[in-house]
Amino acid sequence: MIEKDRLTEVEIKLAEQERLVDELSSVLAEQWKTIDQMDKKLTALTKRFLELEEQSQPDIPVTRPPHW
């Protein structure tokens, strides 16, 4: 009877571990989805910032220095 109780206890712990692994896997998948979305937004914002930065810089004419 003691062996049966030990086996039952191990099976219960294994089931709890499997549930926990599944739950953590689900959370991790959601976090990766969020990270991917944030990465796309960051890339778009960086591109937009660089475009605005280019537009705000004055055009500097290419001329020869006076001593030439």
Side-chain angles (χ1 to χ4, degrees):
M1 194 68 169
I2 294 175
E3 284 296 316
K4 187 175 180 182
D5 291 343
R6 287 181 61 198
L7 181 59
T8 301
E9 187 178 323
V10 168
E11 288 175 338
I12 290 170
K13 287 182 179 182
L14 177 60
E16 290 173 359
Q17 291 294 317
E18 287 178 337
R19 182 192 56 77
L20 181 61
V21 167
D22 289 343
E23 186 179 325
L24 290 173
S25 179
S26 176
V27 169
L28 185 61
E30 282 297 316
Q31 288 178 343
W32 273 113
K33 199 183 300 183
T34 300
I35 289 171
D36 188 47
Q37 291 170 347
M38 291 173 72
D39 185 50
K40 288 177 182 177
K41 287 180 183 180
L42 178 61
T43 300
L45 287 170
T46 301
K47 181 180 176 186
R48 181 69 178 138
F49 174 78
L50 292 173
E51 288 171 356
L52 289 172
E53 190 176 50
E54 279 183 17
Q55 292 174 4
S56 68
Q57 293 177 349
D59 290 336
I60 301 173
V62 179
T63 57
R64 291 184 172 192
H67 62 277
W68 279 42

